[in-house]
Amino acid sequence: MQSDMFTTLHWQDALDQLRDNNQLRDLDVAVARFLEQHCRDASHTVLMLAALASNQQASGHLCIDLGNDRLEQQLWGTSPPENVQELLPGHPRDWLEALAQSPLVSDNGSTPLVLDDQRLYLKRNWSQEKAVAEAIRQRLATPSGLTAEDLHGPLQALFPAGEDNHTNWQQVACALTSRSGIGIITGGPGTGKTTTVVKLLGLLQSLAMTQGQRLRIRLAAPTGKAAARLTESIGDQVAALPVTDEVRNGIPTEVTTLHRLLGTRPDSRHFRHHAHNPLHADLVVVDEASMIDMDMMACLLGALPAHARLILLGDKDQLASVEAGAVMGDLCRHASEGRYQQDTLDFVKHSCDADISPFAEKAAQPGTGLAQCTAMLRTNWRSKDSPGIGTLANAINGADSAASQQSFRDFPGSLQRRRLQADDQQLESLLVEGSAGHDGLRSLFADVVQPPAENDALDEWARRLLGKLTHQQLLSGLRTGYFGVEQLNQRITHYLQQHNLAPEREWYAGRPVMMTRNDYQLGLMNGDVGLTLPGESGPDGQRPLRVAFQLPDGRIKWVLPSRLDGMETVYAMTVHKSQGSEFRHTLLVLPDAPHPLLTRELIYTAVTRARQSFTLLEYGPPGVWESAVNKATWRASGLSQRLQD
């Protein structure tokens, strides 16, 4: 239904106004104009909603949820236009009526816009979400054939009974994720996700080999950093498994990126592996699954052969993917409650000798099929080494700002809180001189100017210095502005130059850089971190600069700086880019006022990047921290509901 106010502002003028106010992108305006060209009768309401639906992808939403009480926040953020009724006349019930009558809208994907229940999608987003839900349902309906009796003996060997009677959730996770064609293991840092999946691989490969088979196993992660970290941690654990050498040799220790796994095609968004050319794999394990967006999840599930099992690992409480969707969050929405059905309780009882009935489904909280194959690891094994970080993370997850602030007072050895002034250089000094018992950039720069005499020793030297980069890392939730990583990196670079640690030129020994796009020719992926170092010594004794990257298999790749097109300095990095990494000491910069991007998930992710210590750097009042702790990320999606239907 149109409002009389519609005539006061033409739809193209409304689009232009929103674009000029940075509430729409050029792309969003182009979508609406394209649709109008193909349907001259399209209404103002439908064209405006089409542009807004396109724009929602930039905020991570898959659709506009017209039935949600947060609709106004989704459409306009915290600052709705004063003339909002002129821009988009009427109310949600009017918009739903206009959409239902439009030839641009259907409920079956036959049109550019899809109205599913009260959710408005662009066709591509709707198709991907529907395909992901259907693929998951198909895998849930594909039982593994393993019984509780099959699992009992091997699980007892992999998880010897301890002295206490507490439930071993790692053992339970292995049992639950063995039941069907898909399994999910979630848990915070230090809960043993990697340990669990290594034992799961040993379990499944052992059982396969007893039947004369050998599973083709592939390990992957969304980014090169995450792949490298899993590769580093998995090798020793595989070697320690109580299995035969034949089984051990059947477990890969090299992790690849999802892009490499699926087979990237240069200058194309399509992959080499898809439904008509599936992966050669029987079992695929993906770590850091919270970073997977809906597009990538659709591609991954589409490339799996029908018989293959998929295991997803990740922390459901971390930041969602940069692109649209919050797949891991949707899949694990009720993981902390369990919601296990009676047959699942019996299965765990007989396979693990464990009682998980406190996490049984309830009449008001029924369990889905996916819940029966999902396990949340609940014991933090790392907390004894750094209890402050675990305590702070739990307070943040509980949206308890008072408890989070108390954590800083209770654990001064591992948690610090510093008030800074915008006009001083205290932040730069902390980064250069070090803090909380960790070396700073001065120590790194002292090392980079002392390369080994023998060229054969360069790789090991570079590997050690790249490891030193992980000792301390500055994070920010923002990219632009005074407190964003772009200006932070400029400030730190200038400080290094002032103190004669770095020369005033673009490339110099000691400059850390991060790839900002995938470079398939070089074999480097978005998020890969390298360090600029003196390279091999030539006949004249000169050492031209090279950038050293550590590949997922541990090898060092040396690249000429001139060959790196998409990269940026990374003394400071965004919290999003830090996912998949861990640092001994993490520092988080908070701006001087609350910001829409500062959410509970963001600061939880920043805190849990730290293994030993965390420092909060505040330029504003404590209310900025409190606001972030109390603000949860929400992304409009229908995936969770589709899996309940």
Side-chain angles (χ1 to χ4, degrees), residues 450-465:
Q450 300 182 33
E454 301 296 327
N455 288 336
D456 290 346
L458 280 174
D459 281 5
E460 187 56 39
W461 177 65
R463 190 175 290 109
R464 179 175 64 82
L465 293 187

Side-chain angles (χ1 to χ4, degrees), residues 494-551:
H494 181 63
Y495 186 89
L496 290 167
Q497 293 168 348
Q498 284 183 318
H499 291 76
N500 299 318
L501 292 173
E504 293 189 24
R505 56 174 180 262
E506 181 181 12
W507 289 101
Y508 52 87
R511 180 191 179 193
V513 296
M514 174 183 283
M515 297 295 296
T516 58
R517 63 176 182 83
N518 296 332
D519 189 321
Y520 304 111
Q521 186 174 8
L522 291 177
L524 298 174
M525 298 292 115
N526 184 5
D528 286 350
V529 172
L531 182 61
T532 311
L533 296 170
E536 290 187 356
S537 177
D540 57 357
Q542 297 296 311
R543 291 181 175 271
L545 292 177
R546 298 288 187 271
V547 184
F549 293 87
Q550 185 165 348
L551 300 178

Side-chain angles (χ1 to χ4, degrees), residues 259-282:
H259 285 83
R260 290 190 181 105
L261 175 72
L262 296 178
T264 53
R265 290 178 172 178
D267 303 318
S268 171
R269 55 181 302 273
H270 299 290
F271 293 103
R272 185 163 51 87
H273 290 291
H274 45 74
H276 302 294
N277 181 32
L279 288 164
H280 302 293
D282 304 305

